[in-house]
Structures are given as C-alpha cells and as structure tokens.
C-alpha cells in the first residue's frame, strides 16, 4: 500500500518491462505494474460480464477447500473503502433467519467511497435493490461490491487504482438509510469482509489471506435480498418497541404477588408467566420482577 502522499518525481525501468519503479519527492519508492499488462490478465476474461452479480454460477461442492490469496504485495496497493464502525445490525451472516452478504457502514450522503484495491470495474450502474452499484474485480480474483451509492464516478471496464474515488455514499435502491453496503466475493461466493479489513481504523488485517470454503454461506451466490434487509429493519423496530414497553418492579418488604399485580393492572398468572415463577413462590426483598 502506498506509504506516502508525496508527488511522484520519476519513473524507472526494471528488468521486467511491465514493472516500473516510482520515485517520490520524499525519497520513498514503490513498484507499479504496467496498467495495460495488468488489464490483459486472464482474470478479466473469465466470466467477465456486466449483468449478474455472480457471473461464475459455480456449485459450492465443486470448489476446493481453501485458497491462499495475496491481498497486497510489492505490486499491489490497498485503501479502506470507507472508515467507520460496522453497523451492529448490519454485519455479515444470518440475522432473524435472513442472510446478509456484506457489511453496512453508516455514513453521510455524499461521503467519498474508495476503490479498495487496484482492479477493473465489472459493474457500474443501477442494479435493482443495490441501487447504484460498483463491482470491481481485482488481479487476485477477488471482487468488491459497493452498494447504495448516491453517485457513480467510474464506468464499466475502467481500470481503477486503490484509493481512487469511485463514487459517493448514499441510500439508493432498497436501503433503510445512508450507508455503504460492502461485499467481498470469491468465485461468486461472499465471505465476511471483516476477515480482511478492520473498518473502524481502516487497517488491512492480512496481506496473505487463507480463504477457507467454510467461510462461505451456502446461499452466498444468490443475489442480496434487500426485501429481507427491509424486513430485518421492521423486526428490529418491533423488538426495540417491545423492549421499551417492558416494565420491571423491585420487590420491597411486605410485597405480595397479588398486591404487585393490582398495582400494575395485571394478574398473578401473568406475573408468574413473565418471570418463570409459581404463585406459591416466596418473593425476596430486592428481587426484580417483570410486570409487563
């Protein structure tokens, strides 16, 4: 990853005609792979199309059990797509019996979104419930997804570099508020981006990543279901309302179940059901009882 913001002052050739050395004004340097050569990689001709979020359509059982993937090396760079804490209800995995294939990063509409690694844009358009979506395939075969953008700044088949602004955050498509829906996929299967990135600090966790098939959900090669995401939001609101409606009472000297029931306009049987006790149970001073 680039370690300096200093301007480049010179480019030097190496023994490999496709690899250059970039010199910066602060006396630092880095390798750079010739863009044209990188674009010609076989990774950009296999299952390359601009429609489906999963152009591979591979059966999970046909895949090997693990892959060793260089995420960055001396020729590749990294930039966090957006630094911020993952929404606690927007993590990868199953929630309320529904799948969520990426992570959700709350943001202000218009916040810049960055390409995570060098790569080629496979999708850059409105895609159903994703809203404005950018999908970038990287030289190692990984793909990164950037959904709900308010603006797209790249075109399909563009070559982008890590840290390049590819759009702005927003709430397009089926979205419950401004956030970046970010996914990482391999061969069409999604895995938790937090294996790679610590979003709160923006730090890349691993340079060499051992991706295991067990990291995939069995459903990950399906389209993200944003109807499910909206339903999750409704379920969350109901759960919050139910939690807010709960009332508790701390037992005092002389209290009885019948007296507490009369005070809160409920019944002894309801108090017993809510607290897992019997009507013959002895109350303890200081004991907390749920009354609603």
């Amino acid at each position: 990853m680039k370690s300096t913001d200093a301007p480049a002052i010179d480019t030097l050739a190496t023994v490999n005609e496709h690899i250059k050395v970039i010199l910066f004004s602060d006396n630092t340097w880095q390798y750079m792979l010739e863009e044209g050569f990188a674009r010609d990689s076989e990774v950009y001709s296999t299952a390359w199309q601009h429609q489906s979020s999963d152009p591979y359509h591979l059966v999970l059982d046909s895949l090997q059990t693990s892959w060793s993937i260089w995420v960055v090396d001396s020729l590749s760079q990294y930039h966090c797509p957006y630094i911020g804490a993952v929404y606690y209800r927007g993590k990868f995995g199953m929630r309320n019996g529904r799948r969520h294939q990426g992570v959700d990063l709350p943001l202000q509409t218009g916040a810049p979104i960055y390409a995570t690694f060098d790569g080629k844009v496979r999708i850059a358009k409105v895609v159903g419930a994703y809203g404005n979506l950018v999908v970038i395939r990287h030289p190692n075969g990984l793909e990164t997804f950037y959904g709900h953008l308010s603006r797209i700044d790249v075109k399909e088949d563009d070559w982008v570099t890590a840290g390049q602004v590819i759009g702005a955050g927003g709430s397009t498509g089926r979205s419950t508020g401004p956030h970046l829906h970010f996914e990482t996929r391999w061969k069409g299967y999604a895995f938790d981006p937090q294996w790679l990135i610590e979003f709160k600090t923006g730090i890349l966790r691993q340079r060499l990543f051992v991706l295991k098939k067990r990291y995939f959900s069995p459903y990950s090669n399906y389209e993200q279901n944003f109807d499910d995401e909206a339903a999750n939001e409704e379920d969350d609101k109901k759960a919050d309302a139910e939690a807010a409606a709960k009332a508790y009472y701390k037992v005092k000297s002389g209290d009885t179940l019948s007296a507490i029931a009369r005070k809160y306009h409920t019944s002894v049987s309801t108090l017993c059901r809510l607290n897992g006790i019997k009507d013959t149970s002895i109350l303890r001073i200081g004991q907390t009882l749920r009354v609603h």
Side-chain angles (χ1 to χ4, degrees):
M1 62 200 75
K2 187 175 178 180
S3 58
T4 178
D5 292 322
I9 58 174
D10 201 0
T11 303
L12 303 178
T14 68
V15 293
N16 186 324
E17 62 178 317
H18 302 295
I19 299 174
K20 311 296 182 184
V21 174
I22 308 299
L23 301 179
F24 298 95
S25 61
D26 60 357
N27 296 320
T28 61
W29 60 275
Q30 71 181 43
Y31 285 115
M32 181 185 74
L33 186 63
E34 185 181 82
E35 178 180 317
F37 181 75
R39 287 190 183 191
D40 291 337
S41 169
E42 185 179 342
V43 74
Y44 301 117
S45 59
T46 302
W48 183 263
Q49 50 107 321
H50 304 309
Q51 286 75 43
S52 175
S53 64
D54 174 18
Y56 295 96
H57 302 294
L58 297 175
V59 177
L60 185 63
D61 289 344
S62 70
L63 300 179
Q64 61 195 65
T65 57
S66 66
W67 303 262
S68 293
I69 302 171
W70 277 107
V71 182
V72 295
D73 56 22
S74 59
L75 292 175
S76 57
Q77 310 299 312
Y78 159 75
H79 194 289
C80 187
Y82 180 81
I83 296 177
V86 175
Y87 180 48
Y88 75 104
R89 284 173 171 163
K91 296 181 179 180
F92 178 90
M94 301 299 292
R95 184 162 62 89
N96 296 331
R98 305 181 182 96
R99 63 182 178 269
H100 190 254
Q101 298 193 146
V103 295
D104 293 340
L105 301 166
L107 44 65
Q108 295 293 319
T109 297
I113 304 301
Y114 303 94
T116 310
F117 310 104
D118 299 346
K120 190 175 182 180
V121 177
R122 187 169 66 78
I123 295 176
K125 59 187 175 186
V126 176
V127 178
Y130 279 100
N132 288 323
L133 173 69
V134 172
V135 177
I136 303 173
R137 186 176 296 179
H138 307 288
N140 55 17
L142 286 175
E143 287 194 335
T144 49
F145 284 54
Y146 312 76
H148 303 318
L149 303 179
S150 62
R151 187 187 74 241
I152 294 176
D153 293 342
V154 293
K155 302 185 300 297
E156 290 170 349
D157 296 319
D158 277 356
W159 181 263
V160 296
T161 56
Q164 178 178 334
V165 175
I166 59 172
S171 188
T172 57
R174 185 64 61 85
S175 171
T176 55
H179 68 277
L180 173 65
H181 175 83
F182 180 76
E183 297 181 21
T184 46
R185 295 200 190 189
W186 175 259
K187 303 297 184 184
Y189 285 85
F191 62 92
D192 191 346
Q194 293 185 95
W195 283 109
L196 294 180
I197 301 170
E198 208 294 292
F199 289 96
K200 193 171 183 179
T201 61
I203 293 174
L204 183 68
R205 296 185 192 274
Q206 307 183 63
R207 295 172 65 89
L208 176 62
F209 176 46
V210 179
L211 174 60
K212 300 177 180 179
K213 187 163 68 172
R214 63 182 175 84
Y215 294 167
F216 301 140
S217 160
Y219 311 104
S220 292
N221 63 334
Y222 288 87
E223 301 290 333
Q224 171 68 36
N225 189 334
F226 288 91
D227 287 326
D228 285 349
E229 183 171 310
N232 279 332
E233 183 75 7
E234 289 303 312
D235 287 347
D236 292 339
K237 289 178 180 177
K238 290 178 182 178
D240 289 344
E242 290 172 359
K246 291 178 182 177
Y248 295 88
Y249 176 77
K250 186 170 289 188
V251 175
K252 300 176 183 177
S253 177
D255 279 335
T256 64
L257 282 174
S258 58
I260 295 171
R262 286 194 301 273
K263 181 176 181 179
Y264 287 94
H265 306 289
T266 186
S267 65
V268 171
S269 61
T270 297
L271 290 179
C272 291
R273 177 177 55 81
L274 291 176
N275 295 279
I277 60 177
K278 298 179 180 179
D279 57 5
T280 56
S281 297
I282 298 175
L283 300 181
R284 303 185 309 276
I285 295 176
Q287 178 180 357
T288 299
L289 296 178
R290 180 181 167 188
V291 295
H292 288 301

